[in-house]
Amino acid sequence: LARLWRACAVWGLLLALTACASTPQQASPDAPRLWQYATFSEFAAGGYAGTLPLSAVAASGDMGLGTVHGLDGEMIVLDGVIYRADASLALSRPTLDVATPFAQVVRFEPQARGNPAGVKSLAELTAWLDTHIPGDGFAAARIDVKDARLKIRSVPGFTPPYPTLEQALTRQRVKELEHASGTLVAVRGPKNHGGIWVPGWHMHFVSADKTTGGHVLDVAVDKGEARWMTMSRFELDLPPR
Ligand SMILES: [Zn+2]
């Protein structure tokens, strides 16, 4: 009987290995993916007219980044809730019929976690993330922080003719926060981006009390809890053209 069981086990293992070998890696439509609305290059050239309702963003993921019509603030999606940081860095919750010109979201299912400590700058934090998430592939992370020092920015909103993103950012408003608690929402794209996605790390902040937030320019944190996932798939929806 023992020999029979051994034989069964060996055949079972072989079958399992065959099944694994014949399954193309991460080709499943259910594999983790980054969903994005509009190409980054067209957005950054001044494509700020909102053409997709936020309801479609909410349907595509529960964590991510973006902006709203007219580049009127920074957008953060966290735990399925969409926030907008206005030029005073105050957060509000836009209604889902507000339109966006650019957004990136994932269905956040963390695969690993770690604790960044003694991080003194945004560059140090992204370096810490890169050592834990090797390579430069698509990744999404949330870093819950306490007692952090932050420099965040937002933008005041524009009307046509729209400036380029570079020009628009000369009008950014900056706020520095001390002893801040909240969550950093971060998305990484491969460096070789072809103008399609945002290369490297892009990070926004939502305070724990959901009153303050924006695009992260700098951050120092003694203790944090990071969770992250990597994505092998990228899905792009284009605005009407
Ligand atoms: Zn941003």
Side-chain angles (χ1 to χ4, degrees), residues 74 153 202 204 215:
E74 305 277 356
R153 73 111 193 275
H202 180 195
H204 288 188
H215 171 106

Side-chain angles (χ1 to χ4, degrees), residues 32-33 62-63 78-79 106-114 129 132-133 138-144 183-184 186 225-231:
R33 64 102 172 85
D62 55 18
M63 191 178 91
L78 179 63
D79 294 324
V106 295
R107 281 186 212 295
F108 190 57
E109 287 173 13
Q111 300 152 344
R113 62 177 65 216
L129 287 166
H132 288 76
I133 319 169
F138 289 113
R142 69 175 285 170
I143 305 122
D144 293 283
T183 304
L184 302 159
E225 194 201 10
R227 283 174 275 170
W228 60 84
M229 65 185 288
T230 58
M231 299 82 78

